[in-house]
Short mmCIF file of all heavy atoms in Angstrom, two decimals:
data_model
loop_
_atom_site.label_atom_id
_atom_site.label_comp_id
_atom_site.label_asym_id
_atom_site.label_seq_id
_atom_site.Cartn_x
_atom_site.Cartn_y
_atom_site.Cartn_z
N LEU A 34 -168.62 200.80 -181.06
CA LEU A 34 -168.33 201.14 -179.66
C LEU A 34 -167.37 202.33 -179.58
O LEU A 34 -167.56 203.25 -178.77
CB LEU A 34 -167.71 199.92 -178.96
CG LEU A 34 -167.49 200.05 -177.46
CD1 LEU A 34 -168.82 199.88 -176.72
CD2 LEU A 34 -166.50 199.01 -176.96
N LEU A 106 -150.85 198.12 -168.28
CA LEU A 106 -151.95 199.08 -168.15
C LEU A 106 -152.32 199.35 -166.69
O LEU A 106 -152.95 200.37 -166.40
CB LEU A 106 -153.18 198.61 -168.95
CG LEU A 106 -153.99 197.41 -168.46
CD1 LEU A 106 -155.15 197.86 -167.59
CD2 LEU A 106 -154.51 196.63 -169.64
N GLY A 121 -159.74 199.85 -174.49
CA GLY A 121 -159.19 198.53 -174.12
C GLY A 121 -160.11 197.46 -174.67
O GLY A 121 -160.98 196.96 -173.95
N VAL A 122 -159.94 197.14 -175.97
CA VAL A 122 -160.87 196.18 -176.60
C VAL A 122 -160.25 194.80 -176.73
O VAL A 122 -159.06 194.61 -176.50
CB VAL A 122 -161.36 196.68 -178.00
CG1 VAL A 122 -162.17 197.96 -177.85
CG2 VAL A 122 -160.21 196.87 -178.97
N ASN A 123 -161.11 193.84 -177.06
CA ASN A 123 -160.68 192.45 -177.27
C ASN A 123 -160.11 191.86 -175.98
O ASN A 123 -159.01 191.31 -175.98
CB ASN A 123 -159.67 192.36 -178.43
CG ASN A 123 -159.64 190.98 -179.04
OD1 ASN A 123 -160.29 190.06 -178.54
ND2 ASN A 123 -158.91 190.83 -180.12
N ALA A 124 -160.87 192.01 -174.90
CA ALA A 124 -160.61 191.25 -173.67
C ALA A 124 -159.34 191.65 -172.93
O ALA A 124 -158.86 190.88 -172.10
CB ALA A 124 -160.61 189.75 -173.97
N VAL A 125 -158.78 192.83 -173.22
CA VAL A 125 -157.53 193.21 -172.57
C VAL A 125 -157.66 193.10 -171.04
O VAL A 125 -156.76 192.58 -170.37
CB VAL A 125 -157.15 194.65 -173.00
CG1 VAL A 125 -155.98 195.17 -172.19
CG2 VAL A 125 -156.82 194.68 -174.48
N CYS A 126 -158.80 193.55 -170.49
CA CYS A 126 -158.98 193.49 -169.02
C CYS A 126 -159.33 192.09 -168.52
O CYS A 126 -159.49 191.88 -167.33
CB CYS A 126 -160.06 194.48 -168.58
SG CYS A 126 -159.50 196.18 -168.68
N SER A 127 -159.45 191.13 -169.44
CA SER A 127 -159.72 189.75 -169.01
C SER A 127 -158.44 189.01 -168.64
O SER A 127 -158.48 187.89 -168.14
CB SER A 127 -160.47 188.98 -170.11
OG SER A 127 -161.76 189.49 -170.23
N TYR A 128 -157.28 189.64 -168.93
CA TYR A 128 -156.02 188.99 -168.57
C TYR A 128 -155.52 189.47 -167.21
O TYR A 128 -154.38 189.20 -166.83
CB TYR A 128 -154.97 189.21 -169.68
CG TYR A 128 -155.51 188.72 -171.00
CD1 TYR A 128 -155.88 189.59 -172.01
CD2 TYR A 128 -155.74 187.36 -171.20
CE1 TYR A 128 -156.46 189.14 -173.19
CE2 TYR A 128 -156.31 186.89 -172.37
CZ TYR A 128 -156.66 187.79 -173.36
OH TYR A 128 -157.24 187.32 -174.51
N LEU A 129 -156.38 190.18 -166.49
CA LEU A 129 -156.07 190.64 -165.13
C LEU A 129 -156.77 189.66 -164.20
O LEU A 129 -158.00 189.66 -164.10
CB LEU A 129 -156.62 192.05 -164.93
CG LEU A 129 -156.13 193.05 -165.98
CD1 LEU A 129 -157.00 194.30 -165.98
CD2 LEU A 129 -154.67 193.40 -165.72
N ALA A 132 -158.65 190.33 -158.31
CA ALA A 132 -159.57 191.46 -158.11
C ALA A 132 -158.76 192.75 -157.91
O ALA A 132 -159.16 193.82 -158.36
CB ALA A 132 -160.47 191.18 -156.92
N ALA A 134 -155.80 193.51 -159.23
CA ALA A 134 -155.31 194.00 -160.53
C ALA A 134 -156.44 194.64 -161.32
O ALA A 134 -156.24 195.65 -162.00
CB ALA A 134 -154.69 192.84 -161.32
N ARG A 135 -157.64 194.07 -161.24
CA ARG A 135 -158.77 194.64 -161.99
C ARG A 135 -159.14 196.02 -161.43
O ARG A 135 -159.40 196.96 -162.18
CB ARG A 135 -159.96 193.68 -161.97
CG ARG A 135 -159.69 192.42 -162.77
CD ARG A 135 -160.92 191.57 -162.92
NE ARG A 135 -161.32 190.86 -161.72
CZ ARG A 135 -160.82 189.69 -161.33
NH1 ARG A 135 -159.89 189.08 -162.06
NH2 ARG A 135 -161.24 189.11 -160.23
N ALA A 136 -159.11 196.15 -160.10
CA ALA A 136 -159.42 197.46 -159.50
C ALA A 136 -158.34 198.46 -159.89
O ALA A 136 -158.63 199.62 -160.21
CB ALA A 136 -159.50 197.32 -157.98
N ALA A 138 -156.59 198.43 -162.61
CA ALA A 138 -156.77 198.75 -164.04
C ALA A 138 -157.82 199.84 -164.21
O ALA A 138 -157.62 200.80 -164.96
CB ALA A 138 -157.16 197.50 -164.81
N ALA A 139 -158.96 199.70 -163.52
CA ALA A 139 -160.02 200.71 -163.66
C ALA A 139 -159.54 202.05 -163.12
O ALA A 139 -159.79 203.10 -163.73
CB ALA A 139 -161.29 200.24 -162.94
N ALA A 140 -158.80 202.02 -161.98
CA ALA A 140 -158.28 203.27 -161.41
C ALA A 140 -157.27 203.89 -162.37
O ALA A 140 -157.23 205.11 -162.56
CB ALA A 140 -157.64 202.99 -160.06
N MET A 142 -157.22 203.56 -165.64
CA MET A 142 -157.95 204.15 -166.78
C MET A 142 -158.54 205.50 -166.39
O MET A 142 -158.54 206.44 -167.20
CB MET A 142 -159.07 203.21 -167.24
CG MET A 142 -158.52 201.97 -167.91
SD MET A 142 -159.87 201.00 -168.57
CE MET A 142 -159.01 199.51 -168.96
N VAL A 152 -164.30 206.01 -171.72
CA VAL A 152 -163.58 204.75 -171.87
C VAL A 152 -164.42 203.81 -172.74
O VAL A 152 -165.65 203.87 -172.71
CB VAL A 152 -163.30 204.16 -170.46
CG1 VAL A 152 -164.56 203.67 -169.78
CG2 VAL A 152 -162.30 203.06 -170.50
N ALA A 153 -163.74 202.99 -173.56
CA ALA A 153 -164.42 201.95 -174.36
C ALA A 153 -163.71 200.63 -174.08
O ALA A 153 -162.51 200.51 -174.32
CB ALA A 153 -164.32 202.28 -175.85
N VAL A 154 -164.47 199.68 -173.52
CA VAL A 154 -163.86 198.43 -173.05
C VAL A 154 -164.69 197.24 -173.54
O VAL A 154 -165.91 197.30 -173.57
CB VAL A 154 -163.81 198.45 -171.50
CG1 VAL A 154 -163.59 197.08 -170.92
CG2 VAL A 154 -162.72 199.40 -171.01
N VAL A 155 -163.98 196.16 -173.92
CA VAL A 155 -164.65 194.90 -174.27
C VAL A 155 -163.99 193.80 -173.44
O VAL A 155 -162.76 193.70 -173.43
CB VAL A 155 -164.49 194.58 -175.78
CG1 VAL A 155 -165.13 193.22 -176.11
CG2 VAL A 155 -165.10 195.68 -176.64
N VAL A 156 -164.80 193.00 -172.74
CA VAL A 156 -164.23 191.90 -171.93
C VAL A 156 -164.99 190.59 -172.17
O VAL A 156 -166.13 190.60 -172.64
CB VAL A 156 -164.28 192.19 -170.41
CG1 VAL A 156 -163.41 193.37 -170.03
CG2 VAL A 156 -165.70 192.37 -169.91
N GLN A 157 -164.35 189.51 -171.80
CA GLN A 157 -165.02 188.20 -171.86
C GLN A 157 -166.14 188.15 -170.84
O GLN A 157 -166.00 188.65 -169.72
CB GLN A 157 -164.02 187.08 -171.54
CG GLN A 157 -162.95 186.88 -172.59
CD GLN A 157 -163.45 186.11 -173.81
OE1 GLN A 157 -164.65 185.97 -174.02
NE2 GLN A 157 -162.53 185.63 -174.62
N GLN A 158 -167.24 187.51 -171.25
CA GLN A 158 -168.40 187.43 -170.38
C GLN A 158 -168.60 185.99 -169.84
O GLN A 158 -168.45 185.03 -170.58
CB GLN A 158 -169.65 187.86 -171.15
CG GLN A 158 -170.88 187.80 -170.30
CD GLN A 158 -172.17 188.26 -170.93
OE1 GLN A 158 -173.12 188.44 -170.19
NE2 GLN A 158 -172.23 188.43 -172.22
N ARG A 159 -168.98 185.93 -168.54
CA ARG A 159 -169.15 184.62 -167.92
C ARG A 159 -170.43 183.91 -168.39
O ARG A 159 -170.48 182.70 -168.53
CB ARG A 159 -169.23 184.81 -166.39
CG ARG A 159 -168.67 183.66 -165.62
CD ARG A 159 -168.69 183.95 -164.14
NE ARG A 159 -167.83 185.08 -163.77
CZ ARG A 159 -167.72 185.54 -162.53
NH1 ARG A 159 -168.43 184.99 -161.54
NH2 ARG A 159 -166.93 186.55 -162.26
N ARG A 160 -171.48 184.71 -168.62
CA ARG A 160 -172.77 184.10 -168.97
C ARG A 160 -173.16 184.43 -170.42
O ARG A 160 -174.32 184.58 -170.74
CB ARG A 160 -173.85 184.61 -168.02
CG ARG A 160 -173.51 184.23 -166.59
CD ARG A 160 -174.51 184.73 -165.58
NE ARG A 160 -174.00 184.46 -164.25
CZ ARG A 160 -174.07 185.29 -163.22
NH1 ARG A 160 -174.65 186.46 -163.36
NH2 ARG A 160 -173.57 184.96 -162.06
N GLU A 184 -160.65 182.01 -158.87
CA GLU A 184 -161.93 182.70 -158.68
C GLU A 184 -162.99 182.11 -159.60
O GLU A 184 -162.66 181.50 -160.62
CB GLU A 184 -161.75 184.17 -159.02
CG GLU A 184 -160.81 184.87 -158.06
CD GLU A 184 -160.72 186.35 -158.37
OE1 GLU A 184 -161.75 186.94 -158.74
OE2 GLU A 184 -159.62 186.89 -158.25
N GLY A 186 -164.75 183.28 -161.93
CA GLY A 186 -164.73 183.68 -163.34
C GLY A 186 -163.49 183.24 -164.11
O GLY A 186 -163.35 183.59 -165.28
N HIS A 200 -160.00 185.92 -167.20
CA HIS A 200 -161.11 186.20 -166.28
C HIS A 200 -162.35 186.59 -167.08
O HIS A 200 -162.31 187.47 -167.93
CB HIS A 200 -160.74 187.34 -165.33
CG HIS A 200 -161.80 187.57 -164.31
ND1 HIS A 200 -161.99 186.72 -163.24
CD2 HIS A 200 -162.76 188.53 -164.20
CE1 HIS A 200 -163.00 187.15 -162.51
NE2 HIS A 200 -163.49 188.24 -163.08
N HIS A 201 -163.44 185.91 -166.79
CA HIS A 201 -164.73 186.20 -167.45
C HIS A 201 -165.60 186.95 -166.45
O HIS A 201 -165.83 186.47 -165.34
CB HIS A 201 -165.40 184.89 -167.88
CG HIS A 201 -164.66 184.18 -168.97
ND1 HIS A 201 -165.19 183.94 -170.21
CD2 HIS A 201 -163.40 183.68 -169.02
CE1 HIS A 201 -164.31 183.32 -170.97
NE2 HIS A 201 -163.22 183.14 -170.26
N TYR A 202 -166.09 188.12 -166.87
CA TYR A 202 -166.83 189.00 -165.96
C TYR A 202 -168.32 188.71 -165.99
O TYR A 202 -168.87 188.32 -167.03
CB TYR A 202 -166.65 190.45 -166.39
CG TYR A 202 -165.26 191.02 -166.21
CD1 TYR A 202 -164.24 190.68 -167.09
CD2 TYR A 202 -164.97 191.92 -165.19
CE1 TYR A 202 -162.97 191.22 -166.95
CE2 TYR A 202 -163.71 192.47 -165.05
CZ TYR A 202 -162.72 192.12 -165.93
OH TYR A 202 -161.46 192.66 -165.80
N THR A 203 -168.99 189.00 -164.88
CA THR A 203 -170.44 189.18 -164.93
C THR A 203 -170.67 190.67 -165.21
O THR A 203 -169.79 191.50 -164.92
CB THR A 203 -171.14 188.80 -163.62
OG1 THR A 203 -170.66 189.67 -162.59
CG2 THR A 203 -170.87 187.34 -163.24
N ALA A 204 -171.86 190.99 -165.73
CA ALA A 204 -172.16 192.39 -166.03
C ALA A 204 -172.10 193.22 -164.74
O ALA A 204 -171.58 194.33 -164.73
CB ALA A 204 -173.54 192.49 -166.68
N ARG A 205 -172.59 192.64 -163.65
CA ARG A 205 -172.61 193.36 -162.37
C ARG A 205 -171.19 193.68 -161.89
O ARG A 205 -170.90 194.78 -161.41
CB ARG A 205 -173.35 192.47 -161.36
CG ARG A 205 -173.61 193.09 -160.06
CD ARG A 205 -174.74 192.34 -159.36
NE ARG A 205 -174.87 192.83 -158.02
CZ ARG A 205 -174.67 192.10 -156.94
NH1 ARG A 205 -174.36 190.82 -157.04
NH2 ARG A 205 -174.81 192.63 -155.75
N GLU A 206 -170.34 192.68 -162.00
CA GLU A 206 -168.94 192.84 -161.57
C GLU A 206 -168.24 193.95 -162.36
O GLU A 206 -167.54 194.80 -161.80
CB GLU A 206 -168.23 191.50 -161.80
CG GLU A 206 -166.75 191.50 -161.56
CD GLU A 206 -166.10 190.18 -162.02
OE1 GLU A 206 -166.71 189.43 -162.79
OE2 GLU A 206 -164.96 189.94 -161.58
N LEU A 207 -168.46 193.96 -163.69
CA LEU A 207 -167.79 194.95 -164.54
C LEU A 207 -168.30 196.36 -164.23
O LEU A 207 -167.52 197.31 -164.10
CB LEU A 207 -168.04 194.60 -166.02
CG LEU A 207 -167.25 195.43 -167.02
CD1 LEU A 207 -165.74 195.17 -166.89
CD2 LEU A 207 -167.70 195.13 -168.45
N ARG A 208 -169.62 196.46 -164.08
CA ARG A 208 -170.21 197.78 -163.76
C ARG A 208 -169.66 198.30 -162.44
O ARG A 208 -169.25 199.44 -162.31
CB ARG A 208 -171.75 197.63 -163.69
CG ARG A 208 -172.48 198.92 -163.45
CD ARG A 208 -173.97 198.65 -163.39
NE ARG A 208 -174.54 198.31 -164.67
CZ ARG A 208 -174.85 199.18 -165.63
NH1 ARG A 208 -174.64 200.46 -165.42
NH2 ARG A 208 -175.38 198.79 -166.76
N ARG A 209 -169.60 197.42 -161.44
CA ARG A 209 -169.12 197.83 -160.11
C ARG A 209 -167.65 198.26 -160.15
O ARG A 209 -167.25 199.23 -159.53
CB ARG A 209 -169.31 196.65 -159.14
CG ARG A 209 -169.10 197.06 -157.70
CD ARG A 209 -169.20 195.91 -156.77
NE ARG A 209 -170.56 195.39 -156.64
CZ ARG A 209 -170.85 194.24 -156.06
NH1 ARG A 209 -169.90 193.48 -155.58
NH2 ARG A 209 -172.09 193.85 -155.94
N MET A 210 -166.86 197.52 -160.93
CA MET A 210 -165.42 197.83 -161.03
C MET A 210 -165.21 199.25 -161.56
O MET A 210 -164.38 200.01 -161.04
CB MET A 210 -164.78 196.79 -161.98
CG MET A 210 -163.41 197.05 -162.45
SD MET A 210 -162.89 195.61 -163.45
CE MET A 210 -161.76 196.39 -164.58
N PHE A 211 -165.98 199.65 -162.58
CA PHE A 211 -165.81 200.99 -163.14
C PHE A 211 -166.46 202.05 -162.25
O PHE A 211 -165.94 203.15 -162.10
CB PHE A 211 -166.31 201.03 -164.60
CG PHE A 211 -165.27 200.48 -165.53
CD1 PHE A 211 -165.18 199.12 -165.79
CD2 PHE A 211 -164.31 201.32 -166.09
CE1 PHE A 211 -164.17 198.61 -166.60
CE2 PHE A 211 -163.31 200.82 -166.91
CZ PHE A 211 -163.24 199.45 -167.16
N HIS A 212 -167.57 201.70 -161.63
CA HIS A 212 -168.23 202.65 -160.73
C HIS A 212 -167.29 203.01 -159.56
O HIS A 212 -167.12 204.18 -159.22
CB HIS A 212 -169.54 202.04 -160.22
CG HIS A 212 -170.23 202.87 -159.21
ND1 HIS A 212 -170.84 204.06 -159.53
CD2 HIS A 212 -170.36 202.73 -157.87
CE1 HIS A 212 -171.33 204.61 -158.45
NE2 HIS A 212 -171.05 203.82 -157.42
N ARG A 213 -166.67 201.98 -158.99
CA ARG A 213 -165.78 202.21 -157.84
C ARG A 213 -164.58 203.08 -158.21
O ARG A 213 -164.00 203.74 -157.36
CB ARG A 213 -165.28 200.87 -157.29
CG ARG A 213 -166.35 200.18 -156.49
CD ARG A 213 -165.80 198.99 -155.77
NE ARG A 213 -166.81 198.43 -154.90
CZ ARG A 213 -166.85 197.18 -154.51
NH1 ARG A 213 -165.92 196.33 -154.92
NH2 ARG A 213 -167.79 196.76 -153.71
N ALA A 214 -164.18 203.04 -159.49
CA ALA A 214 -163.02 203.84 -159.92
C ALA A 214 -163.43 205.26 -160.26
O ALA A 214 -162.59 206.05 -160.72
CB ALA A 214 -162.35 203.17 -161.11
N GLY A 215 -164.71 205.61 -160.09
CA GLY A 215 -165.14 206.99 -160.31
C GLY A 215 -165.77 207.24 -161.67
O GLY A 215 -165.92 208.38 -162.08
N PHE A 216 -166.11 206.15 -162.39
CA PHE A 216 -166.77 206.34 -163.69
C PHE A 216 -168.28 206.52 -163.49
O PHE A 216 -168.86 205.95 -162.56
CB PHE A 216 -166.50 205.14 -164.61
CG PHE A 216 -165.12 205.15 -165.20
CD1 PHE A 216 -164.05 204.55 -164.54
CD2 PHE A 216 -164.87 205.80 -166.40
CE1 PHE A 216 -162.77 204.58 -165.06
CE2 PHE A 216 -163.59 205.83 -166.94
CZ PHE A 216 -162.54 205.22 -166.27
N GLU A 217 -168.87 207.31 -164.40
CA GLU A 217 -170.32 207.60 -164.33
C GLU A 217 -170.96 207.28 -165.67
O GLU A 217 -170.25 207.05 -166.65
CB GLU A 217 -170.52 209.08 -164.00
CG GLU A 217 -169.95 209.44 -162.63
CD GLU A 217 -170.01 210.94 -162.36
OE1 GLU A 217 -170.37 211.71 -163.26
OE2 GLU A 217 -169.67 211.32 -161.21
N GLU A 218 -172.30 207.31 -165.68
CA GLU A 218 -173.04 207.10 -166.95
C GLU A 218 -172.54 205.83 -167.64
O GLU A 218 -172.22 205.84 -168.84
CB GLU A 218 -172.85 208.28 -167.91
CG GLU A 218 -173.03 209.64 -167.29
CD GLU A 218 -174.50 210.02 -167.15
OE1 GLU A 218 -175.32 209.48 -167.92
OE2 GLU A 218 -174.82 210.82 -166.26
N ILE A 219 -172.46 204.75 -166.86
CA ILE A 219 -171.90 203.50 -167.41
C ILE A 219 -172.94 202.83 -168.30
O ILE A 219 -174.05 202.54 -167.86
CB ILE A 219 -171.49 202.56 -166.26
CG1 ILE A 219 -170.39 203.23 -165.42
CG2 ILE A 219 -171.03 201.20 -166.79
CD1 ILE A 219 -170.04 202.51 -164.13
N GLU A 220 -172.58 202.60 -169.57
CA GLU A 220 -173.48 201.91 -170.50
C GLU A 220 -172.86 200.57 -170.84
O GLU A 220 -171.72 200.51 -171.29
CB GLU A 220 -173.70 202.73 -171.77
CG GLU A 220 -174.59 203.92 -171.49
CD GLU A 220 -174.81 204.81 -172.70
OE1 GLU A 220 -174.45 204.40 -173.82
OE2 GLU A 220 -175.32 205.92 -172.48
N LEU A 221 -173.65 199.52 -170.59
CA LEU A 221 -173.10 198.16 -170.69
C LEU A 221 -174.09 197.30 -171.45
O LEU A 221 -175.28 197.30 -171.14
CB LEU A 221 -172.92 197.66 -169.25
CG LEU A 221 -172.32 196.30 -169.00
CD1 LEU A 221 -170.97 196.16 -169.65
CD2 LEU A 221 -172.17 196.11 -167.49
N GLN A 222 -173.61 196.57 -172.45
CA GLN A 222 -174.48 195.61 -173.14
C GLN A 222 -173.63 194.46 -173.64
O GLN A 222 -172.41 194.57 -173.73
CB GLN A 222 -175.24 196.27 -174.27
CG GLN A 222 -174.40 196.79 -175.40
CD GLN A 222 -175.22 197.45 -176.52
OE1 GLN A 222 -176.39 197.17 -176.70
NE2 GLN A 222 -174.58 198.33 -177.26
N SER A 223 -174.31 193.36 -173.99
CA SER A 223 -173.57 192.24 -174.57
C SER A 223 -173.51 192.44 -176.08
O SER A 223 -174.30 193.20 -176.65
CB SER A 223 -174.26 190.92 -174.24
OG SER A 223 -175.50 190.89 -174.92
N LEU A 224 -172.57 191.73 -176.70
CA LEU A 224 -172.49 191.79 -178.16
C LEU A 224 -173.84 191.36 -178.77
O LEU A 224 -174.30 191.93 -179.76
CB LEU A 224 -171.37 190.87 -178.66
CG LEU A 224 -171.27 190.71 -180.17
CD1 LEU A 224 -171.06 192.05 -180.86
CD2 LEU A 224 -170.14 189.75 -180.53
N ASN A 241 -169.77 186.21 -177.14
CA ASN A 241 -170.75 187.23 -176.72
C ASN A 241 -170.18 188.13 -175.61
O ASN A 241 -170.72 188.19 -174.50
CB ASN A 241 -172.02 186.51 -176.24
CG ASN A 241 -173.17 187.46 -176.01
OD1 ASN A 241 -173.19 188.58 -176.53
ND2 ASN A 241 -174.12 187.04 -175.20
N PRO A 242 -169.09 188.85 -175.91
CA PRO A 242 -168.45 189.66 -174.87
C PRO A 242 -169.32 190.81 -174.36
O PRO A 242 -170.35 191.12 -174.97
CB PRO A 242 -167.21 190.22 -175.59
CG PRO A 242 -167.55 190.20 -177.03
CD PRO A 242 -168.46 189.02 -177.23
N LEU A 243 -168.88 191.42 -173.27
CA LEU A 243 -169.55 192.60 -172.72
C LEU A 243 -168.89 193.85 -173.29
O LEU A 243 -167.64 193.93 -173.34
CB LEU A 243 -169.43 192.61 -171.20
CG LEU A 243 -170.24 191.56 -170.46
CD1 LEU A 243 -169.81 191.48 -168.99
CD2 LEU A 243 -171.73 191.84 -170.57
N LEU A 244 -169.70 194.82 -173.69
CA LEU A 244 -169.22 196.07 -174.28
C LEU A 244 -169.58 197.20 -173.33
O LEU A 244 -170.75 197.35 -172.98
CB LEU A 244 -169.88 196.32 -175.64
CG LEU A 244 -170.15 195.12 -176.55
CD1 LEU A 244 -170.84 195.57 -177.83
CD2 LEU A 244 -168.87 194.38 -176.88
N LEU A 245 -168.59 198.00 -172.94
CA LEU A 245 -168.84 199.06 -171.96
C LEU A 245 -168.31 200.40 -172.47
O LEU A 245 -167.21 200.46 -173.02
CB LEU A 245 -168.16 198.69 -170.63
CG LEU A 245 -168.20 199.72 -169.50
CD1 LEU A 245 -168.39 199.02 -168.16
CD2 LEU A 245 -166.94 200.58 -169.44
N THR A 246 -169.12 201.44 -172.29
CA THR A 246 -168.58 202.80 -172.38
C THR A 246 -168.99 203.52 -171.09
O THR A 246 -170.04 203.20 -170.50
CB THR A 246 -169.09 203.61 -173.60
OG1 THR A 246 -170.49 203.78 -173.49
CG2 THR A 246 -168.74 202.95 -174.91
N ALA A 247 -168.17 204.46 -170.65
CA ALA A 247 -168.46 205.21 -169.43
C ALA A 247 -167.66 206.49 -169.46
O ALA A 247 -166.71 206.62 -170.24
CB ALA A 247 -168.09 204.37 -168.20
#
Side-chain angles (χ1 to χ4, degrees):
L34 187 76
L106 71 93
V122 296
N123 204 354
V125 172
C126 288
S127 290
Y128 304 108
L129 305 163
R135 291 189 286 276
M142 289 186 192
V152 70
V154 163
V155 177
V156 295
Q157 292 282 16
Q158 180 177 192
R159 212 176 296 178
R160 300 178 187 139
E184 295 184 37
H200 185 74
H201 293 242
Y202 291 76
T203 62
R205 187 160 172 243
E206 174 188 17
L207 188 65
R208 183 180 290 280
R209 191 183 290 168
M210 168 176 151
F211 279 86
H212 175 71
R213 284 189 174 154
F216 284 89
E217 297 174 353
E218 313 280 335
I219 298 171
E220 287 178 12
L221 182 56
Q222 64 180 335
S223 67
L224 173 59
N241 190 20
L243 290 168
L244 323 179
L245 175 142
T246 63

